Amino acid sequence: MSKFSVKKPFTVLVGLVLVLVLGVVSFSKMTTDLLPNMDLPYMIVYAADPGAAPESVESSVTKPLESALGSTTGLKQISSTSNENVSIIVMEFAQGTDMNAVSIEMSNTIDQIKGSLPETVSTPVMMQITPGMMPVMVASVDVDGMDAKEVSDYVSD
């Protein structure tokens, strides 16, 4: 190798310049992505029923939605929470499930069941969980002797 580089220095110089140019071009085209695009196989459905107790929300909103959405294609696990005024259903799907097709299927199912829900219930809302929705940081503030509204005003000022 050393004989070749001594006999043909111009070829070695061209090779070195070529490697440097390709390196600079490659480096300039690279992008850094701290949070790459990912399709997480999770969907959330929530419906509000203003003024309703958790037991009422569970029986009149959560159970009908859960039973209707339970037959969605590719569903792996379904869990729900019924709180005062709101029903939240979290659905996990198998990896590789086409979430666009699932969204359409769920939308059709929700449209079919919407009429059987009480009139006070708002239209169920469907959301796909994406990494961009997740918080980067969560902070909390507490001040001794202040309630939540006073602490909020204090932090705002």
Side-chain angles (χ1 to χ4, degrees), residues 95-141:
Q95 284 292 350
T97 304
D98 182 8
M99 295 308 286
N100 293 327
V102 166
S103 296
I104 294 168
E105 182 181 347
M106 286 176 59
S107 179
N108 292 338
T109 303
I110 289 172
D111 286 343
Q112 290 173 358
I113 197 171
K114 196 171 21 175
S116 66
L117 297 175
E119 288 182 14
T120 57
V121 176
S122 66
T123 303
V125 177
M126 195 173 63
M127 285 189 325
Q128 182 177 355
I129 297 177
T130 61
M133 298 170 77
M134 297 178 193
V136 175
M137 181 177 72
V138 177
S140 66
V141 177

Side-chain angles (χ1 to χ4, degrees), residues 11-54:
T11 306
V12 174
L13 181 65
V14 168
L16 181 64
V17 169
L18 183 65
V19 168
L20 287 174
V21 168
L22 288 175
V24 168
V25 169
S26 297
F27 185 73
S28 67
K29 302 253 184 213
M30 282 183 7
T31 60
T32 56
D33 197 358
L34 299 176
L35 197 58
N37 290 334
M38 295 175 9
D39 278 339
L40 297 177
Y42 290 94
M43 293 287 280
I44 294 177
V45 176
Y46 68 92
D49 189 1

Side-chain angles (χ1 to χ4, degrees), residues 9 17 47 63 68 82 84 91 96 103 105 115 118 121 135 146 152:
V17 169
K63 294 253 186 224
S82 299
E84 191 171 330
M91 304 171 70
S103 296
E105 182 181 347
V121 176
M146 289 188 183
S152 179

Side-chain angles (χ1 to χ4, degrees), residues 52-72:
E55 296 83 15
S56 171
V57 170
E58 180 178 10
S59 63
S60 63
V61 181
T62 305
K63 294 253 186 224
L65 281 173
E66 228 180 26
S67 62
L69 295 170
S71 61
T72 306

